[in-house]
Amino acid sequence: MKPLTLFEKIWAAHEVHRDEDGQSLLYVDRHFIHEGSRTPYKQLADRGLKVRRPDLTFAVPDHYVATTSRDFADVDGEDRKDMVASLTRNAAASGVVEYGLQDERHGIVHVMGPEQGLSLPGMLILCGDSHTSTHGAVGALAFGIGASEVGHVLATQTLWQRKPRTMRVLIEGELAPGVSGKDVVLALIAQIGVNGATGHVIEFAGSTMEALSVEGRLTVCNMAIEAGARAGMVAPDDKTFAYLRERPHAPKGEAWEAALERWRGIVTDPGAIFDREVFLDATTIEPMVTWGNRPSEAVPVTAAIPDVAAVEDPTQRGMLLAALDYMGLKAGTKLADVPVDYVFIGSCTNGRIEDFRAAAAVLRGRQVAPGVKAIAVPGSGLVRAQAEAEGLDRVFTEAGFEWRFSGCSMCLAVNGDTVPPGKRSASTSNRNFVGRQGPDARTHLVSPATAAATAIAGRFADHRALGG
Amino acid sequence: MAKFDTLVATAAPMNQRDVNTDAVIPGRFLRRKREEGFGTCLFHDLRFHEDGSENDEFVLNQPAFRGAQILVADENFGCGSSRESAVFALHDYGFRCVIAPSFGDIFHNNCFKNGLLPIVLPAEQVATLRAQAGTMQGAPFTIDLAAQTVTGVDGVAHRFEIDPFRKRLLLQGVDEIDLTLSFEDKIAAFEAAR
């Protein structure tokens, strides 16, 4: 029998029908929805259609919610309130469980899903959000879809897709102390580019990935989309099973044992062929900082802004020069000499308990630099509660951070948490696009530990030098 | 969904790689209702200055391209966020086709749901078409979906590949949900076997 990849096994297990033209109709195990589902629900209502499988659909408001409180009244503006309220109305009317603002399990969808054990190995998981690739870290096939496709899944519990190509990213070697999953994925994107994996599903493999915690893997898979990938995946292993074991929606008792047996087979067979293979030497990776307007424009925190005038391709050179201009940076300037105004720790990339522990280790006993506004936004109510149980909230607040409630917040700045024009942000989120955190805001992507060190120094700083 | 067969229209050139969906439609416009339309939001922060006045240098503000229905873009157009509002904005502005050497995967899928044809051609051919659009302003391009060709103002036809399933749905104006509901028996059987 032909050896299969992890991806191919999951794809085959979900194929309801294959069209004569090669498209597959895939069955969806989990469909997560957020406020962006307002249009798809209207689409269904206009056609007199119902949600086919409300039991496989889970709703959570995350993009537009206030992070200063859990009070609906604090959602900023009537139009945002309507986005949040419409999700609650639509979920209730269609029998879909909602993890609402008052629910401690509330969170960013890509934090809440794995945390609740809703995301499990072998599943096909969809959500109207590009960072759905996050869930692939538990050995699932998970990817983002558009509003029309959300409507299609709501109505049919299926989706038409052409099988993407496969790519294995082999990451080998021991990470240096203080180097995180965020640094790994930024280094990868710097190596292969923002369209280096377009049209492919990435399987992240190798000793480095095996050594990473599940939360670190979630971070890596989260940013697969920033390399252009359709999805990112990691084969499930004993770490995955330990992470999932007591989760509310994980199988229990005999069902757990049966699931384990099944899940152990959801790995790439020896000899399986990938369409592309990429190698990354993890031993060379340092804490990374982006300097431009694409996640690929990243260098070690110890480095200087590169000299882009020497780039041969005129289109590329023009883009890089424009990025420097937008970011208010000059080639040759050391990152350690670049001051910041805002620091944001949170998002579906870095809003988990390990992220806050890493940042707190750097912050403990130190103060945020004068003039820096720093906010910490846990990825879920349970992350927040766990952090508080460990006393991490006090570490953050005593250092001068605001300690917020869960939500997407400053990652994409649609809830009112924005970086003002011309101000510079060190952010643990996933995109440094022009205007991403607010019109004319300047975003640099970093790990939680680097963000914490930067908040203290008031400029980009290597947390390893602080001994955190 | 509206059918797409042929299109004869002005093309606007966009000489920028990696145009992400945040640039196509900034996040602050995503809370609009679909029925309000998104055309005015398209490339908002490129089209307009902070005071709301038009940026004369932006291609779509140049007289020859105001009525363009074809956008000739560059590598990795529509990368980033899954926001279908990016496609809504292009569609509502009046675009019916985007030509590029490559697209962001989710954006590419979203185009087909809205009758917006994303055409992939080799980078050199796209560069030629962009140059033609820029120098022979207002001269029409012809898109023939059935024949899978883009004909520039020089009369040269460039053949493009397209997923046959997507092509069929566009040519026939087939709604995907209706199509899928015709497989109800198969879906139910699949569910029962799980």
Side-chain angles (χ1 to χ4, degrees):
Chain A
M1 209 166 74
K2 180 192 168 211
L4 298 174
T5 65
L6 160 65
F7 160 73
E8 288 168 325
K9 289 179 181 183
I10 298 177
W11 182 278
H14 291 83
E15 206 169 38
V16 175
H17 171 79
R18 191 178 306 165
D19 183 81
E20 61 196 8
D21 286 328
Q23 284 262 343
S24 296
L25 185 64
L26 301 176
Y27 195 83
V28 180
D29 295 309
R30 288 283 185 270
H31 187 201
F32 294 111
I33 58 173
H34 53 59
E35 303 98 313
S37 61
R38 181 175 64 180
T39 296
Y41 263 105
K42 185 176 187 304
Q43 179 189 354
L44 261 64
D46 289 348
R47 300 175 60 149
L49 294 170
K50 287 186 161 51
V51 175
R52 181 186 177 91
R53 292 296 302 268
D55 57 317
L56 302 182
T57 311
F58 296 86
V60 62
D62 56 5
H63 282 54
Y64 292 91
V65 300
T67 57
T68 48
S69 83
R70 289 294 76 164
D71 191 341
F72 175 76
D74 289 332
V75 174
D76 185 20
E78 290 309 309
D79 48 0
R80 291 188 183 96
K81 281 187 171 72
D82 182 65
M83 295 289 284
V84 176
S86 67
L87 179 66
T88 300
R89 274 196 312 273
N90 288 329
S94 58
V96 168
V97 169
E98 184 197 22
Y99 294 83
L101 282 176
Q102 302 301 325
D103 191 323
E104 191 181 40
R105 300 168 300 173
H106 172 272
I108 304 169
V109 63
H110 310 310
V111 175
M112 178 277 288
E115 185 175 72
Q116 289 301 311
L118 287 165
S119 310
L120 297 170
M123 282 187 168
L124 174 59
I125 300 169
L126 301 181
C127 176
D129 187 282
S130 56
H131 292 108
T132 306
S133 55
T134 310
H135 306 253
V138 299
L141 173 58
F143 54 88
I145 56 177
S148 296
E149 291 180 318
V150 169
H152 190 283
V153 178
L154 287 172
T156 71
Q157 204 55 32
T158 62
L159 189 69
W160 291 100
Q161 287 285 294
R162 178 168 290 278
K163 197 175 189 177
R165 296 187 294 279
T166 55
M167 177 191 287
R168 176 160 52 193
V169 173
L170 201 60
I171 310 175
E172 294 287 2
E174 190 176 347
L175 291 173
V179 177
S180 70
K182 180 64 161 287
D183 302 309
V184 169
V185 73
L186 285 173
L188 172 69
I189 298 164
Q191 179 176 309
I192 69 172
V194 291
N195 61 348
T198 300
H200 293 75
V201 168
I202 296 176
E203 180 179 340
F204 295 100
S207 60
T208 314
M209 291 305 300
E210 288 164 14
L212 272 183
S213 68
V214 172
E215 297 204 348
R217 297 172 188 181
L218 287 160
T219 295
V220 172
C221 287
N222 172 274
M223 287 191 69
I225 181 74
E226 310 315 334
R230 195 75 184 94
M233 314 173 77
V234 179
D237 60 10
D238 287 339
K239 279 187 180 176
T240 317
F241 308 144
Y243 173 88
L244 292 170
R245 185 171 193 122
E246 298 303 325
R247 304 282 168 185
H249 287 267
K252 302 287 184 286
E254 286 179 17
W256 171 261
E257 296 306 323
L260 270 189
E261 196 171 327
R262 208 167 55 248
W263 294 343
R264 289 190 196 282
I266 310 174
V267 294
T268 293
D269 296 328
I273 295 169
F274 290 83
D275 295 305
R276 273 187 70 197
E277 300 239 20
V278 169
F279 177 79
L280 183 65
D281 179 0
T283 64
T284 64
I285 300 172
E286 292 189 66
M288 301 290 284
V289 180
T290 63
W291 56 267
N293 297 133
R294 292 176 291 184
S296 55
E297 289 150 11
V299 293
V301 67
T302 52
I305 306 299
D307 179 10
V308 300
V311 173
E312 283 185 26
D313 179 339
T315 307
Q316 186 79 334
R317 183 171 64 247
M319 286 182 71
L320 295 172
L321 288 168
L324 284 181
D325 182 55
Y326 177 84
M327 295 297 286
L329 296 169
K330 286 188 167 60
T333 304
K334 282 190 161 60
L335 278 163
D337 294 331
V338 176
V340 300
D341 307 294
Y342 281 72
V343 172
F344 167 58
I345 299 178
S347 85
C348 62
T349 314
N350 284 126
R352 298 173 188 84
I353 190 63
E354 286 181 12
D355 298 313
F356 291 96
R357 287 173 184 154
V362 177
L363 291 172
R364 195 168 274 111
R366 297 186 170 110
Q367 287 294 306
V368 169
V372 174
K373 180 180 171 70
I375 70 169
V377 185
S380 74
L382 293 177
V383 170
R384 188 176 199 266
Q386 177 67 31
E388 289 173 354
E390 295 178 18
L392 303 185
D393 59 318
R394 291 192 303 281
V395 175
F396 279 93
T397 55
E398 286 167 12
F401 268 75
E402 292 180 28
W403 181 248
R404 299 280 190 93
F405 292 87
S406 54
C408 295
S409 185
M410 211 175 262
C411 169
L412 75 167
V414 296
N415 75 326
D417 293 346
T418 59
V419 175
K423 297 296 183 184
R424 190 177 306 282
S425 158
S427 177
T428 66
S429 53
N430 41 56
R431 291 191 172 132
N432 53 340
F433 298 161
V434 168
R436 174 74 176 182
Q437 293 190 296
D440 294 320
R442 294 164 168 168
T443 302
H444 298 260
L445 305 178
V446 293
S447 71
T450 301
T454 299
I456 292 158
R459 53 196 64 240
F460 289 101
D462 185 349
H463 67 92
R464 298 170 301 179
L466 294 177
Chain B
M1 186 176 68
K3 290 182 183 180
F4 188 112
D5 39 40
T6 58
L7 174 67
V8 180
T10 299
M14 195 163 189
N15 299 299
Q16 194 181 337
R17 289 181 196 163
D18 304 319
V19 172
N20 59 65
T21 52
D22 285 57
V24 179
I25 182 167
R28 63 189 182 278
F29 298 113
L30 301 185
R31 50 191 191 266
R32 290 170 78 96
K33 290 188 166 80
R34 180 68 191 98
E35 54 270 27
E36 293 175 51
F38 288 86
T40 55
C41 312
L42 177 68
F43 297 125
H44 186 277
D45 294 352
L46 297 170
R47 272 168 73 196
F48 302 105
H49 296 299
E50 278 179 44
D51 63 4
S53 63
E54 284 191 352
N55 171 10
D56 294 336
E57 291 179 15
F58 187 65
V59 62
L60 297 186
N61 292 333
Q62 293 163 21
F65 302 120
R66 283 188 185 273
Q69 290 182 273
I70 301 166
L71 185 66
V72 191
D74 207 337
E75 299 274 3
N76 202 28
F77 185 85
C79 58
S81 159
S82 63
R83 60 187 68 167
E84 195 167 331
S85 308
V87 177
F88 296 161
L90 285 159
H91 178 277
D92 294 356
Y93 181 88
F95 283 106
R96 291 296 171 266
C97 175
V98 185
I99 303 168
S102 59
F103 291 95
D105 287 336
I106 307 176
F107 174 87
H108 186 259
N109 276 354
N110 288 342
C111 284
F112 289 104
K113 318 297 178 189
N114 293 275
L116 181 71
L117 177 63
I119 292 177
V120 176
L121 284 171
E124 317 80 66
Q125 292 181 29
V126 177
T128 299
L129 293 170
R130 258 199 324 273
Q132 286 181 25
T135 54
M136 303 178 205
Q137 296 184 0
F141 282 34
T142 301
I143 313 292
D144 186 332
L145 177 56
Q148 294 178 210
T149 57
V150 177
T151 305
V153 295
D154 59 358
V156 175
H158 303 270
R159 184 172 169 78
F160 61 88
E161 295 303 316
I162 183 170
D163 183 300
F165 177 87
R166 299 285 181 215
K167 177 182 176 180
R168 190 174 86 226
L169 266 56
L170 274 178
L171 284 171
Q172 297 172 4
V174 173
D175 177 86
E176 264 186 49
I177 291 179
D178 287 343
L179 172 67
T180 304
L181 291 175
S182 72
F183 289 96
E184 169 57 34
D185 291 351
K186 274 198 163 187
I187 297 169
F190 188 91
E191 286 175 323
R194 284 167 79 75

